[in-house]
Amino acid sequence: MTQEPNLFSDGPDQETPGPGFAGSSSAATGRALDPLAVRMRPRTIAEVVGQEHLTFPGSPLNQLVEASGGDRAGASSVILWGPPGVGKTTLAHVISHAPGRTFVELSAITAGVKDVRQVIENARREREMYQRTTVLFLDEIHRFSKAQQDALLPAVENRLVVLVAATTENPSFSVISPLLSRSLLLTLRPLDDDAIGRLLDRAIASERGLAGGFELSPEAKDFIVRIAGADARRSLTILEAAAGIASAQGETVQRASENDGAAETEDDDETDGDETADAAPILITEGACAEASSETVLRYDRNGDQHYDVVSAFIKSIRGSDVDAALHYLARMIVAGEDPRFIARRVVISAAEDIGMADPQALPIAVAASTAVQNIGMPEGRIPLAEAVTYLAMAPKSNASYRALDAAIADVKNGLAGQVPDHLRDAHYPGAKELGHGEGYKYSHDYPHGVADQEYLPETLRNKRYYDPSGNGMERTMGERLESLRRLLRP
């Protein structure tokens, strides 16, 4: 029985077909039948994209990859922590390629203590009989109980196995301290747009991918990067499906060439015998990508007019209390791949600027949504964003606090700052009391209602009023209280 070639086979690459790859007879054997995302999965640490902070020469991860079975240096166990789709499993398989390694993969979802003990026993046998190191890749380690994680400790401590554990949850809370202290914690970062773009370029050109038979238009590339959501597998899946659509449509890349007429005359005889030799690559358009992903092409340039127009409409819809319009523009920004942190910042600003003291709960809700987006990321981050936007749009509106501060700033800039009244000055430093600082100050808590009748503004601004609350929401009652306070302050 022959073993079917796969992503981790040591043999030479199978050549994948070009433009006619879908259904081609040349794809009937080997890895050509694998999905593009599988064919393009990195097999060496040099091919890993987007994790340069972990893969640089001499890094702990690089040492682990390069260490042979008998080389104890660099063979530390590691815990890979990061969001889904950033390459934790891929890195584990890359580590397994080092010579003298036996690679075992378990999932904490289905495995138990019995399975772990069996792996450890087999690892002991491999080391004693064949001088081979066992690499145990344990996916979803956070799903293991404390007792199950405890079972790994002796083997990890004695390096009977090299543990490569993957988790999407913070290991500080999901992995027991003894195991954490015996392992290196490596944090994987979400793939940025540049990393996804490089993966697409590689897939287009590589013999393992589309072998140069296609060309991705800049608009199509931007579209895939935008909707992939930092997920490498999704980006390659869309690319493969779009290539199939483009192949059926048959639109080729038109290239301008010098001396077209002379070239055609000279080369006619040569090209007649092999028309496919100089065949132009098939163009993958933005439309093909939209069809492949079932996504609508959304015209939105994150650095252009659309960016500013949509966010402007978003803020003005919240200010105008149109919750439906606000959610529409929020959706447009999310679908277009706008940075969710940027959206969250605008929501916080809107809460302070447009709702203000008419509903003091608006700002804490907006800040909570911003914090949630930073902690959980997208796509789940859209949920607290939607909650905050809905609350803000429906909340009573007032910019009185904002206007009051701007008025005060204008006075200061216009030279109306004035001297701090003597009775409010600090009287604690040496010589201050001799200057009359603090003299005559009335301690508010000694007076009824906790309010003393004294002047707090500089003389140049005596009786100046900045804050003028609206009659909306809580500011209606705040306005009444403010008038009472002013009467007590200045009887």
Side-chain angles (χ1 to χ4, degrees), residues 377-393:
M378 298 296 277
E380 292 83 358
R382 75 190 190 284
I383 301 170
L385 279 176
E387 180 180 342
V389 168
T390 301
Y391 189 96
L392 266 57

Side-chain angles (χ1 to χ4, degrees), residues 283-359:
L283 179 65
I284 301 176
T285 64
E286 187 179 33
C289 296
E291 292 181 43
S293 62
S294 299
E295 298 278 354
T296 301
V297 176
L298 183 64
R299 299 297 176 188
Y300 187 96
D301 179 4
R302 278 179 282 179
N303 297 311
D305 292 344
Q306 282 290 316
H307 164 84
Y308 296 104
D309 289 346
V310 171
V311 74
S312 174
F314 173 62
I315 294 302
K316 289 171 181 174
S317 297
I318 294 176
R319 182 182 299 144
S321 300
D322 191 332
V323 63
D324 302 302
L327 290 171
H328 165 76
Y329 291 115
L330 174 63
R332 282 176 65 164
M333 289 188 288
I334 290 173
V335 171
E338 182 63 80
D339 185 346
R341 295 168 300 179
F342 168 79
I343 301 174
R345 287 195 295 270
R346 300 307 306 176
V347 169
V348 171
I349 294 169
S350 176
E353 178 181 351
D354 293 319
I355 289 86
M357 293 303 293
D359 187 346

Side-chain angles (χ1 to χ4, degrees), residues 146 201 212 224 295 344:
K146 182 179 182 299
D201 292 339
I224 295 177
E295 298 278 354

Side-chain angles (χ1 to χ4, degrees), residues 381-443:
R382 75 190 190 284
I383 301 170
L385 279 176
E387 180 180 342
V389 168
T390 301
Y391 189 96
L392 266 57
M394 297 177 64
K397 306 297 189 294
S398 172
N399 67 348
S401 297
Y402 169 49
R403 287 188 293 107
L405 178 60
D406 278 357
I409 289 174
D411 278 352
V412 171
K413 288 183 176 180
N414 289 329
L416 297 178
Q419 294 293 325
V420 175
D422 287 343
H423 63 280
L424 297 183
R425 294 189 179 189
D426 184 14
H428 292 88
Y429 60 87
K433 288 186 177 181
E434 286 75 4
L435 295 173
H437 292 185
E439 186 177 340
Y441 171 67
K442 299 177 181 179
Y443 186 57

